[in-house]
Amino acid sequence: MAPDLIEGELVCKQGMGKPSLNATGCEVCPPGQMQLEERFTGYCHQCPKQAESCLADEVKMKPGFLAEKDGRLVVCPNSLACQGGIFPSNSSRCAIGYRGAGCAQCDCAEGFRLADSSVLSCVQCSKDLQDAAMQVGFWVGKSALLFALAAKSVLGNTGSSKPSGVYLNQLMSFATLEGTIMSAMLQTPAAQELQEGFAGVFFQASALVMEVTSGQTSSAAGTGQSLQCVLGYVGLESALWKGHLGFTVLAVLLTAVLSIFKGYQVGLVVGINCFWPEFMGHFGKYFVCYRLSPDSGLEWPQAPDFFGGLALVAACLLLCSAAVLHAWWTLYGTGTNDSGPKVAQEQLHVAFLTAPYQEAYAKFETERLLRKGCFTFLAAALPITASPALQLIFLAMAVLASLVTYALLLPYRKCRWNMVEVALLTASMLSILEVMALLTSTPRQGERYLTHEVTIIGTLMLSTAICIALTLLTIQNLLLEHSASTKIMEMKTN
């Protein structure tokens, strides 16, 4: 029987290849090499370095890595999306809900869409009408609730320093950062082992607290929210730019409503303070990039698919940021942070921005706005699954800069507000260092992640408790301020 030939070349079976240039037959691949194709005319390939075991005709990869038939290593940007396993016998190389090169795309045919927490994570959209309605309501409601609290704090200002406004801003800033850190922490091996049972419920509850108190979803961890699913529920085709546009429309509508009734300055102060950081996070998603293998080029999965698309996004980012920051800066006007007994209606926004700070630092609220925008942009552009070291390093630099600034300048009028701000930044810095330690340390074989698990649960409990305490403190001060304002009005009428 004539040998199997392809264009005059001898065809080797799986696990076999040509032993040398002058070979006339096929030989089994030697140790350290493999060949996974059924019909092959070349030489055996070197086994991938990330293989748990490698035989001539199959390779077992660690989770987070794939092996192509030509021996090329594929690094999954989201390690949870790659199951690893034995190749080529596995029927599916990607986890449920993922597909494509490096398992970096969502399986839309099965109802999966991009998660709000990262463009490298996928969640399954609900097919139940009631559940879908609840998700749409939650998306709108959490933004409206935080917007209403911020508006109440601004409108309740009488020219003096209002604790509710200070605590609300501190809460939003802290929750924004802690949501990002929590997302990183839950990527550690120890956290993956804790996903089931009570610990998993606690993780979900903590993520929900941080998502609601920050008013954002781009940096929250593990709540399973997806704006792309919301688009589908209302009959729109999912796309990253459509989600960005939908969020912008909601923010503009809420800001416009407040502007109509209370003036555009008040509307801009509340709208920019609540929504601009997440607006920056949506921009960051377009800049996500990764390499599928050490020798491959950069992949930009969410960048516009036309020449100059990424440059166009960068130009829009710069123009929008410049416009928003210019509008924010003009809101200070020529007013000062005098704490007189009366403030004209049109100067409520100036009093809200400047009254908590000392005269020399009247415009210091701009630092917090930039800080929140920086956090959300970095968290979105550098997903923890693909770029853990870069994300944590940049976040640590931003937090450290703010911590040193507040510790040296003490810009608030009241000492306790300065101390709270320094304490919150210190807690965030410690959380970042803990995540760095968790990601870089691995217990020896056979040991449990007990120390890691205690660290994770303790850190999340502390962060959640701080968010809840600041929320209660904000509400308490809002009620006290409302009561005091009511008494003043009654005295005037009498």
Side-chain angles (χ1 to χ4, degrees):
M1 185 174 182
D4 193 4
L5 300 175
I6 294 182
E7 297 182 358
E9 291 192 65
L10 185 65
V11 176
C12 300
K13 296 181 179 180
Q14 183 175 320
M16 304 180 69
K18 291 182 178 180
S20 63
L21 289 174
N22 299 322
T24 57
C26 299
E27 292 186 5
V28 176
C29 297
Q33 296 185 15
M34 65 176 191
Q35 197 285 101
L36 305 180
E37 298 185 34
E38 292 290 344
R39 296 169 60 81
F40 187 66
T41 60
Y43 305 98
C44 296
H45 307 292
Q46 291 293 327
C47 292
K49 294 181 179 179
Q50 280 73 17
E52 289 187 357
S53 64
C54 184
L55 303 177
D57 59 349
E58 69 177 29
V59 58
K60 183 177 182 181
M61 299 298 297
K62 299 177 181 178
F65 298 94
L66 302 175
E68 298 292 352
K69 290 185 176 181
D70 60 1
R72 184 170 60 92
L73 175 70
V74 177
V75 181
C76 298
N78 181 358
S79 60
L80 300 180
C82 293
Q83 299 175 324
I86 299 175
F87 301 101
S89 61
N90 276 13
S91 59
S92 174
R93 305 196 300 172
C94 301
I96 297 175
Y98 297 87
R99 65 175 185 84
C103 301
Q105 301 175 28
C106 297
D107 191 352
C108 296
E110 297 298 325
F112 286 83
R113 296 293 187 273
L114 293 177
D116 288 339
S117 58
S118 171
V119 295
L120 298 179
S121 299
C122 302
V123 297
Q124 188 169 25
C125 300
S126 176
K127 297 180 181 179
D128 181 72
L129 183 60
Q130 184 178 0
D131 188 35
M134 289 180 61
Q135 290 187 34
V136 175
F138 176 78
W139 177 66
V140 176
K142 69 180 180 60
S143 298
L145 174 62
L146 197 67
F147 185 82
L149 286 175
K152 176 65 177 176
S153 182
V154 174
L155 295 173
N157 202 295
T158 59
S160 59
S161 303
K162 290 297 182 182
S164 63
V166 175
Y167 292 134
L168 180 62
N169 281 338
Q170 290 177 334
L171 168 63
M172 292 171 61
S173 180
F174 179 77
T176 297
L177 179 57
E178 287 300 309
T180 302
I181 297 172
M182 179 180 177
S183 180
M185 188 172 290
L186 296 184
Q187 298 297 322
T188 61
Q192 296 302 315
E193 292 186 0
L194 289 172
Q195 291 292 335
E196 302 296 332
F198 174 77
V201 175
F202 172 67
F203 291 164
Q204 292 289 329
S206 299
L208 182 62
V209 169
M210 293 175 193
E211 183 171 321
V212 172
T213 53
S214 69
Q216 302 180 35
T217 54
S218 56
S219 63
T223 61
Q225 294 298 313
S226 172
L227 185 51
Q228 301 302 315
C229 288
V230 172
L231 292 176
Y233 298 149
V234 297
L236 297 176
E237 185 179 353
S238 64
L240 192 63
W241 69 269
K242 291 182 180 179
H244 196 174
L245 180 61
F247 167 79
T248 305
V249 169
L250 176 64
V252 170
L253 285 176
L254 291 173
T255 303
V257 170
L258 183 61
S259 299
I260 291 172
F261 290 99
K262 298 299 179 181
Y264 80 92
Q265 296 101 330
V266 173
L268 282 178
V269 166
V270 179
I272 293 175
N273 194 32
C274 289
F275 298 125
W276 186 70
E278 187 171 356
F279 182 74
M280 292 293 291
H282 280 279
F283 265 116
K285 294 177 181 180
Y286 298 102
F287 293 91
V288 172
C289 63
Y290 50 79
R291 296 182 188 274
L292 292 177
S293 63
D295 56 348
S296 66
L298 284 175
E299 302 278 344
W300 304 81
Q302 303 302 332
D305 191 17
F306 55 85
F307 180 77
L310 198 62
L312 177 62
V313 173
C316 291
L317 169 64
L318 293 176
L319 288 174
C320 291
S321 299
V324 169
L325 291 176
H326 174 72
W328 177 268
W329 196 257
T330 58
L331 289 172
Y332 286 99
T334 57
T336 62
N337 57 338
D338 296 333
S339 55
K342 296 182 180 180
V343 176
Q345 178 73 17
E346 62 269 21
Q347 293 300 315
L348 284 175
H349 63 285
V350 178
F352 174 79
L353 293 173
T354 61
Y357 296 98
Q358 299 181 50
E359 185 76 25
Y361 307 111
K363 299 182 179 181
F364 209 79
E365 190 63 27
T366 306
E367 182 276 340
R368 186 189 309 281
L369 182 69
L370 292 173
R371 190 203 318 168
K372 291 190 295 182
C374 178
F375 289 159
T376 53
F377 181 84
L378 289 174
L382 299 172
I384 195 66
T385 56
S387 309
L390 283 177
Q391 185 191 101
L392 292 173
I393 288 173
F394 279 117
L395 289 178
M397 291 170 60
V399 173
L400 183 60
S402 294
L403 176 59
V404 172
T405 300
Y406 271 90
L408 292 178
L409 300 181
L410 300 175
Y412 282 114
R413 285 178 176 273
K414 296 186 178 181
C415 180
R416 67 173 179 272
W417 294 344
N418 286 310
M419 295 300 100
V420 169
E421 189 71 43
V422 170
L424 293 176
L425 290 169
T426 301
S428 296
M429 193 68 197
L430 290 175
S431 297
I432 292 175
L433 295 176
E434 288 173 351
V435 175
M436 287 182 174
L438 292 173
L439 289 173
T440 55
S441 62
T442 304
R444 290 175 293 182
Q445 187 174 5
E447 291 185 354
R448 280 180 52 84
Y449 289 90
L450 182 59
T451 304
H452 290 199
E453 293 169 357
V454 172
T455 301
I456 291 170
I457 294 176
T459 302
L460 293 183
M461 288 180 65
L462 178 62
S463 300
T464 305
I466 291 175
C467 288
I468 293 175
L470 284 174
T471 301
L472 296 177
L473 199 57
T474 301
I475 295 174
Q476 180 189 32
N477 281 277
L478 278 172
L479 295 175
L480 291 174
E481 291 162 14
H482 177 73
S483 177
S485 178
T486 302
K487 290 180 180 179
I488 293 175
M489 293 297 295
E490 290 177 351
M491 292 175 62
K492 288 181 178 180
T493 55
N494 295 331

